Amino acid sequence: MRPFFFFLIGLLSCTASETHAGDKNGLSPALVFRPIYNGKELSGTSGRSLFVSGDTFSIDQIRFYCSDICLLDGEAIVWRDKTKCHLVDAHIPATLKIDLSKIGRRYTSIRFNLGIDSITNVSGALGGDLDPAKGMYWAWQSGYINMKIEGVCSKCDGRKYRLHLGGYSGENATIQTVNIPIQANDHEMVIGIETATILNEVKNGTTCSIMIPGKQAVILSDLAAKMFVPLK
Amino acid sequence: MKKWLFIILLTGAFVGLSFTNRKVAFFRVPEGWPAPTYNFNNNKLTREGVLLGRALFYDPILSADSTISCASCHLQYTAFTHVDHNLSHGIYGRIGTRNSPVLSNLAWSRLLMWDGAVNHLDVQPLAPIANKDEMDFSLDSSLIRLRRSALYPSLFRQAFGDTSITGERFLKSLSMFMLTIVSSNSRYDQVMRHEKGVEFSQQEQNGLRLFRQHCESCHKEPLFTTGGFANNGLPVDTLLRDHGRMRVTGKRSDSLHFKIPSLRNIEFSFPYMHDGRFDRLQQVIEHYTSGIRNSVVLSPELREPIVLSANEKVDMIAFLLTLTDKGFLYDTSFSYPRFLFMRQTKE
């Protein structure tokens, strides 16, 4: 019994010891997403486009799930987000900044999932950001939509493109792990979302509409993970 | 030391057990049935939650033009299926592409819908609400309507402690109600429980024997389904071109596979099959004995022809009729909650 007790004490004290630059001034660090298109920052109030290029192209909506955020020191996880999942919406500034609680450890990279894991996908009705009323859930075939990007593109049928990326089972699984190195332990870790990475596929007319799980969704989700880049 | 540990563990287990028992207190697993697949720990049944779900199930407020409720296609006295229609009729008189299945014993189901496209009972209502041919609405608009109604904020408060109307609560309460729709008191059940004075006739007994020989592999007792998918050799309807499970999995081998339906209350759940192509049980038996379309995707259980004499066919049907549970079909705790809606109109 006793060794277990000491083990507990040890565990507690160890998380409280080391500090690092980010925590020193008493601020807890934050993860900040900055959606961009070819390097240009995207913003817009609800109902307005995030980016417009004449009447041939626009970005009207970017929403995605960011889940299981971890900070790593080398290979070791030194901190794990208690909130399982965040719905990030480019139209809602508050969702673009995720406050991470006090960390008190050195870390060299941040890791998170783009999308929802398979267990959550088969867990029935969930609340908060995972509430199906948030519009990130498929009605006719169960499963979360990991990411939605929509807008206008003159090359597409009906001039609209709609990328709804999701699918959780077997070879249709679309969840992606994103790993971003952190140079200094800054207060804010700014991660750019370079939408051109995926939207070039739309602009060259290759892909305009994905509304179901499948091969195409897997390929584009792979590409979507590559949108996330460290910004300095 | 070891002894103490053992005692602590044992008490812990007892406390844990009684705790989980309390949570599913509302839900009784019929004698001899397997454990439910539904995880009641994530959605504890309460009287108030079930009542809220029942109100939602019967309320046309969930359809775009407020004319269609879940019960429009799932009527209690036909075991919660759509009576007399092979393809369910929905909003604006549109006709869907599939026959509505019986709703009962959903706590034991795994994948839902004829093709298994829905992976959990909780999220099932999203499909009919958003389906253009069914209720043509969205969860979000449904919630807005519920928040504005005179009835629902108080029902949600009674069920969940406050008036907040979220998608999660909405879906969980519908599940709560649907979970209570259990049919386990047919004459078949009474015979299996050796209840006094209930016996099968010789004909029914023979029917059961034949059923166990030819049908049991898919329509497994006591639920009368394995919960899996199969191709029972129906020729494809060239108009509807419904390939069932393949649409969801993308696998060729799942072509023309449909969910194996339970046969409980089969007497009242006609028309039969995913597209409602048969009106009478005789036709179903004829299909299994002489209508099976052989193909590479036909389920192996049906590769060998089923041979039944005229008398045996009659016996088989006699047995199937023992699956009727009259108490279930007329159980007032599943029926239209008139008292709730009357109160609303008075207000």
Side-chain angles (χ1 to χ4, degrees), chain A residues 1 121-128 131-133 137-143 168, chain B residues 1 117-120 122-123 126-127 130 139-140 143 166-168 171-172 247-248:
Chain A
M1 218 67 192
N121 262 294
V122 296
S123 298
L126 300 167
D131 193 316
Y137 199 93
W138 270 307
W140 50 268
Q141 180 173 347
S142 307
Y168 63 89
Chain B
M1 189 75 176
V118 169
N119 69 22
H120 195 289
D122 291 359
V123 291
L126 297 171
L139 176 57
D140 217 31
L143 298 182
T166 66
E168 183 189 16
L171 295 170
K172 282 189 162 163
R247 196 199 72 178
V248 177

Side-chain angles (χ1 to χ4, degrees), chain A residues 42-196:
Chain A
L42 304 179
S43 70
T45 45
S46 180
R48 287 272 185 80
S49 294
L50 296 156
F51 176 86
V52 181
S53 164
D55 61 357
T56 60
F57 182 74
S58 76
I59 304 173
D60 298 345
Q61 172 162 201
I62 304 173
R63 304 177 90 201
F64 65 90
Y65 278 116
C66 165
S67 66
D68 197 24
I69 304 171
C70 293
L71 293 171
L72 293 93
D73 183 2
E75 296 283 293
I77 295 174
V78 295
W79 182 90
R80 188 165 227 150
D81 192 5
K82 285 199 188 72
T83 309
K84 211 158 111 181
C85 181
H86 303 266
L87 176 56
V88 181
D89 185 332
H91 276 112
I92 307 174
T95 68
L96 289 167
K97 184 172 177 210
I98 299 172
D99 286 314
L100 313 178
S101 61
K102 265 217 162 58
I103 290 154
R105 294 280 295 271
R106 199 182 81 95
Y107 46 87
T108 55
S109 68
I110 185 162
R111 189 178 79 190
F112 59 86
N113 290 333
L114 173 59
I116 304 295
D117 64 46
S118 61
I119 292 179
T120 309
N121 262 294
V122 296
S123 298
L126 300 167
D129 278 357
L130 289 169
D131 193 316
K134 297 275 179 190
M136 294 292 279
Y137 199 93
W138 270 307
W140 50 268
Q141 180 173 347
S142 307
Y144 282 97
I145 299 167
N146 293 332
M147 180 170 227
K148 267 190 184 178
I149 303 185
E150 297 182 2
V152 168
C153 177
S154 54
K155 283 235 178 75
C156 296
D157 265 0
R159 300 177 34 84
K160 284 263 182 203
Y161 67 89
R162 266 187 292 187
L163 308 180
H164 294 185
L165 306 180
Y168 63 89
S169 81
E171 57 196 23
N172 287 341
T174 46
I175 188 168
Q176 298 286 327
T177 304
V178 178
N179 252 303
I180 308 266
I182 307 284
Q183 252 72 35
N185 281 187
D186 292 332
H187 169 55
E188 281 191 348
M189 293 167 255
V190 185
I191 295 178
I193 306 174
E194 180 46 272
T195 51

Side-chain angles (χ1 to χ4, degrees), chain B residues 35 41 54 57 80-81 114 158 166 255 307 317:
Chain B
N41 288 327
R54 185 171 154 203
F57 190 87
F80 293 96
T81 177
W114 284 107
Q158 282 157 28
T166 66
S255 176
V307 183
I317 291 174

